[in-house]
Amino acid sequence: MTADPVTADLVIFGKEWGVRPSGTEQLVRRLVPQSRPQGRRALWVNAAGARASLDAGPAAGGIRVLTPRAVPMLCHPLSRRANRHLLGRQVQGAMAEAGIARPILWASWPTAVDALGRLGERAVVYQCDDDISALEGGDRGPLRAMEDELVERADLVLASSPALAARFPRYKTILVPHGVDMGLFAAPAPRAPDLPDGFVAGFYGGLTPWIDTDLIVAAAEALPHWTFFLIGPIPDHPPALSGLPNLVLAGPRPHESLPGYSQHWTASILPLRDTPRMHACTPLKLREYLAAGTPVVATGGPALEGYREVLAAVSGPDWFIRALAVTAGNTNSPDRVRRQRARVAGDSWDEAARLVADALDRL
């Protein structure tokens, strides 16, 4: 496909903008400011189910955000038919207000396939950060079928891991590993005022099914003199996590404030279940933990490959607990901090965005 002389604008179908920055958001924040002299604008379309708002207002620089109305049950044939019309009309209006025409349509979730062909797009990009076939719960068949359709119609596929890239046609797939914002996570940050004193095992992120909450509980019971401080959305019914005096469900915190916690707690914990889904993915927080400089104690098998020399990769509660105990005397090791940060220094989001910008300009 021949590129126009003007850098193409973007219409991105992603998660909710600005809540917990996804890999897509990290890239888009850098692609718009670093665009070529002609400029690049972007419209970010929040996923269905995000907080309701029809305002397509500015978010950052040349990026505008739209939260459209959509019919629930996005994979149902009747809902898909309705959403093709409803979603297309709303996005078309927001594009007109932003002065966007003939954009590159960027989908970070398969349900965006229903917008294809309605927006005058010049090209389609699918960014895959997750193994759809390994999602927990529900009927994955319709979603996988939507992904297959999206991949077939895409001009470019961005995959965040080699395992994911291997699932797609080689001729139109590039590997774009997750990055890290070294400027945010490695620069010294003041200690968060609500971070407990003493030994603290810290975690941030959603308590999703691939987080081993049983392991957290076992460690909290075995180490009563430690505080287990968990930052992130609190599930309606957090299994077994409530009632322990040394386990704190702290709730969400702004992304920019996280180094004030992760640089100052005793150890960052990443208790991942060894599941098919985690075989294909690398959690965003892994590189951020390493950049923060405190010891990292993690489980999870293949998700840790390439990082085992700079973290404590363990299996089972006994070794997890022992590794945490060891960190109590190793928190301020300058050599360990240097090695951790050196391992992820080349994995910046800026470098990932340059790789994507070059690929977009070839469409």
Side-chain angles (χ1 to χ4, degrees):
M1 187 173 295
T2 303
D4 289 351
V6 177
T7 300
D9 295 330
L10 303 174
V11 173
I12 307 104
F13 290 81
K15 298 178 181 178
E16 189 174 1
W17 176 273
V19 177
R20 285 181 292 164
S22 62
T24 309
E25 182 174 329
Q26 295 282 9
L27 291 170
V28 170
R29 284 183 179 274
R30 290 160 174 81
L31 284 169
V32 173
Q34 76 169 36
S35 60
R36 307 302 187 262
Q38 296 93 338
R40 190 197 300 276
R41 293 163 294 189
L43 172 66
W44 180 282
V45 183
N46 279 335
R51 289 173 289 189
S53 170
L54 286 177
D55 295 330
I63 305 167
R64 295 170 66 85
V65 176
L66 170 70
T67 303
R69 294 191 181 98
V71 178
M73 299 177 64
L74 299 180
C75 295
H76 191 279
L78 292 179
S79 296
R80 291 189 63 183
R81 189 178 307 168
N83 282 327
R84 287 190 184 101
H85 174 73
L86 185 61
L87 187 62
R89 185 176 60 187
Q90 294 171 84
V91 177
Q92 288 167 0
M95 286 171 55
E97 291 179 4
I100 292 176
R102 296 197 67 236
I104 293 174
L105 191 156
W106 179 326
S108 64
W109 194 246
T111 52
V113 71
D114 288 332
L116 269 59
R118 301 188 60 87
L119 305 178
E121 64 270 12
R122 69 180 66 198
V124 175
V125 174
Y126 174 41
Q127 182 187 10
C128 182
D129 286 342
D130 215 337
D131 185 354
I132 300 299
S133 63
L135 293 178
E136 296 83 2
D139 183 1
R140 298 183 293 270
L143 196 60
R144 182 63 186 271
M146 296 173 83
E147 183 186 56
D148 290 343
E149 181 182 350
L150 179 56
V151 171
E152 182 178 354
R153 299 175 66 178
D155 301 282
L156 174 67
V157 178
L158 311 176
S160 62
S161 75
L164 290 174
R167 296 178 49 227
F168 306 119
R170 182 178 299 180
Y171 70 92
K172 61 179 175 182
T173 301
I174 63 172
L175 177 64
V176 184
H178 286 154
V180 60
D181 186 343
M182 293 295 290
L184 176 62
F185 284 93
R191 181 185 177 92
D194 60 337
L195 186 63
D197 295 329
F199 299 131
V200 178
F203 169 89
Y204 60 77
L207 294 174
T208 50
W210 58 88
I211 298 299
D212 193 342
T213 52
D214 295 334
L215 186 59
I216 297 175
V217 170
E221 290 175 340
L223 299 170
H225 56 297
W226 282 63
T227 300
F228 288 74
F229 194 81
L230 313 183
I231 295 173
I234 301 173
D236 292 335
H237 303 286
L241 291 178
S242 56
L244 291 173
N246 62 332
L247 202 157
V248 178
L249 298 178
R253 296 289 186 277
H255 183 72
E256 294 75 15
S257 73
L258 295 178
Y261 296 92
S262 59
Q263 291 181 12
H264 298 281
W265 53 38
T266 311
S268 298
I269 59 172
L270 192 56
L272 301 173
R273 298 186 189 276
D274 189 0
T275 66
R277 187 175 185 182
M278 294 315 304
H279 285 204
C281 304
T282 303
L284 287 168
K285 65 177 69 63
L286 175 58
R287 292 179 175 88
E288 295 170 353
Y289 279 174
L290 291 170
T294 46
V296 179
V297 178
T299 64
L304 308 180
E305 292 303 328
Y307 300 94
R308 293 176 181 271
E309 74 276 12
V310 289
L311 53 77
V314 297
S315 178
D318 290 342
W319 285 106
F320 188 79
I321 292 162
R322 291 181 189 180
L324 277 177
V326 168
T327 67
N330 191 37
T331 301
N332 297 316
S333 166
D335 180 63
R336 180 192 43 71
V337 174
R338 178 191 59 77
R339 288 188 294 107
Q340 285 186 201
R341 289 177 174 164
R343 175 60 188 83
V344 295
D347 299 333
S348 72
W349 283 117
D350 291 335
E351 183 59 34
R354 281 191 286 271
L355 178 64
V356 173
D358 290 341
L360 295 179
D361 286 346
R362 291 194 295 269
L363 294 176

